[in-house]
Amino acid sequence: MEEELKCPVCRRWYCKPLLLPCTHSICTACAVAGQEPSQSLVPHPVSDEGQANGPVIQDADNYPEIDKLSMVSEADSGVVCNSRPNSYLGTPSVSNIFTSSALQSCPYGLRCPVCNKIVLLDDFGALSLPTNKVLEAIVEKYTQNKQPKKVEIKCELCVNGADIATAMCEQCEVFYCDTCRDNCHPSRGSLAKHNLVDPTQGKNILQSKKKRKEAKCKEHSEELLSMFCVGCKIPVCYVCSQDGRHINHDVQSLSAMCKAQKNELSQNLQTLSEKAKSGTEFIQRLKAMAEKINGNCSEFEATVIAQCDALIERIKLRKIELLASVKEEKDMKTMTMKEQVSDCTGLLQRTTGLLQFCIEVLKESNPSSFLQISTGLIARVAQADCNFNKEMELAPRVSPEFELTLDNTPSIRSIENMNFFQMKAPGQPSIIPEECSAENNSVTIAWQPYSNSVVEAYTLELDDGNGGDFRVVYVGRETICTVDGLHFNSIYNARVKGHNHAGESPYSEIVSLQTAEVAWFTFDPITTHQDIIFANNNQSITCNSFDHRVALGSVGFSKGIHYWEVHIDRYDSHTDPSIGIARFDVDKNQMLGKDDKAWSMYIDNQRSWFINRDEHANRTNGGISPGSVIGMLLDLNQHTLSYFINDQPHGPIAFTDLHGVFFPAVSINRNVQVTLRSGLEPPVESEGSESDEE
């Protein structure tokens, strides 16, 4: 952090640094040497008669914002330009006109060497600026650690030619040589109880006492600086906040403000530190890539030479040209990489310097000193944090790979036009887990190509949900795909590869997705007959026809055990709704079960029958009424379908030997309204009363 500790004017270590209102610092000697009459810093427009008028700022952009509180907020002072303690101001641009009285009360001015803001000063000039105590302490500690040497401390009582001190009295706070100690501080009487220490230790004791000494108010010498004026940004005493010029200002506890500012600076430093860490890692990757260029170049040169040697006599001249082209590419990549490493290293050094400096500032125990520079440091750290990613770039400017292939297939007559073409098999694509999902018995997989790869199409493969072989489910250019019609409660593994005419990429890493344990579904408006009327988010249906019309569910089943229910909402005229399962292409214009693509039970208010291929079987007593619930248990592990009415088994197993994909289905007419209930756990069959069969 050496750059943080050097004066922007003399470029040496700060010596008695002064704090400017813009939060920058400058050596006392440089400030005194650089101060000018305020009249020369503020422009004076010339009138038509050729005489200078009063000072006017016509271009506000050239004169950044002044501290407005210093200019106009102190109504009790009666002085426009010198209302703040320490007798200094910010940059003059509260308004476009400065009065003559303002400049007369501020005869001197100083331009910040960093941001060019103008500071107006009173009769004391630069000496009225406050000392940047935190910076001074950090510079002293840093320079001592940088150039450690033994400091010779002189005796404070020797009159002529002071000797080197050999002891210091901790109570008297005086350094003695051996002679002066024996003469002026004998170890007897009241002085016998005084503690004499080594001069170096004594110097540290004095510095520690000086730091612990609490600051007093300049206007009220008996009062401690215990408060902080938020508007004026200076420490004040209790009297100043109650009766002085800060009576109407926002005044906070000095320690609380210091803690809040330290917390804010610490949080900003944490964010910036993480980015600096990522920047360091990125630079290491860049260096590794730069080292890899030479190896890749050697391999590529060997390929070029081997292909060119096959054409010996006719391609020697062309071979030289091709090698020159490869070398030019190598030099360009190497130079670009080195430039990026250099740029990123410079940014990281500046950021690290700022981090180390801020960490040292955070160690400052004096709240007043810390708050003098905390606002500026917070702004600098926030700005550095905001700009870090933009300046660091965090992406290599060039690839270390030589994505070129020598084409030696043309005939000898085409040798003159032989050149490189940029194409190779694509790199391994990667699946994006956070964008993949599973819903019911469908899965969605999303992926992205390898950086800078040319991909003509992708192939997505899925296994059978039971750890079996992979099979192709999609081929195309899209990078997202949804696969429907899978088994419930199964774990599917997916992988993807890319390909172009140069070859195929390796498979991506496998991603595993689990389908739902139970099915949540509704009636499907797309596959259902147009006479069916939907309600309740497609969970309830009725019909506007006297004839039976078929409605299918939105999910098909091919594996596992599934249970759903149909609630009878309305039941008129003793009609007989038919409820069961069907193929996707079932005839939807007639009662369910009339063809060979549906298996169902039709039921009235007294009895029911099972029906398939228009064949009726197993009449069972027991009917339905409004409020009845018909349950269907489809067990595709055993390939059977069973029915329940009001949670009780109804009849024997209705159908067996069921294989394939089945959709929940009902057929109703206008005399019936039903509601579908899905996502239910299969019931435990109980031994009910025996069913009558006819």
Side-chain angles (χ1 to χ4, degrees), residues 10 33 38 77 98 154 157 174 182 201 236 278 351 364 518 533 647 650:
C10 64
S38 57
S77 67
F98 279 87
K154 302 292 184 179
L157 299 184
V174 176
D182 295 338
Q201 182 182 355
V236 297
S278 64
T351 302
E364 174 57 37
V518 294
I533 301 172
D647 296 328
H650 185 74

Side-chain angles (χ1 to χ4, degrees), residues 80-98:
V80 175
C81 67
N82 193 18
S83 62
R84 176 181 288 186
N86 295 329
S87 303
Y88 73 97
L89 299 170
T91 304
S93 61
V94 172
S95 65
N96 282 338
I97 299 176
F98 279 87

Side-chain angles (χ1 to χ4, degrees), residues 135-187:
L135 180 57
E136 185 178 27
I138 294 175
V139 170
E140 181 180 356
K141 182 169 69 172
Y142 184 80
T143 52
Q144 287 178 353
N145 294 336
K146 195 77 174 177
Q147 299 174 345
K149 62 180 181 179
K150 185 168 183 175
V151 179
E152 294 183 350
I153 303 174
K154 302 292 184 179
C155 176
E156 296 181 310
L157 299 184
C158 291
V159 178
N160 297 320
D163 293 333
I164 297 175
T166 59
M168 188 210 79
C169 178
E170 191 173 349
Q171 287 71 33
C172 301
E173 298 183 356
V174 176
F175 290 92
Y176 300 97
C177 64
D178 291 336
T179 303
C180 295
R181 181 193 60 198
D182 295 338
N183 295 335
C184 305
H185 199 286
S187 300

Side-chain angles (χ1 to χ4, degrees), residues 63 132 140 162 166 194 254 259 317 321 339 364 466 571:
Y63 294 88
N132 191 335
E140 181 180 356
T166 59
H194 286 202
L254 186 67
K259 183 177 180 181
L317 180 61
E321 296 174 355
E339 288 177 355
E364 174 57 37
N466 195 29
Y571 180 73

Side-chain angles (χ1 to χ4, degrees), residues 3 59 77 185 222 253 255 282 376 418 456 466 507 554 558 602 633 660 675 677:
E3 291 301 316
D59 187 358
S77 67
H185 199 286
E222 298 301 320
S253 167
S255 59
F282 174 67
M418 186 172 61
E456 296 176 351
N466 195 29
Y507 282 104
S554 59
S558 61
Y602 70 94
L633 178 62
T675 295
R677 296 174 178 174

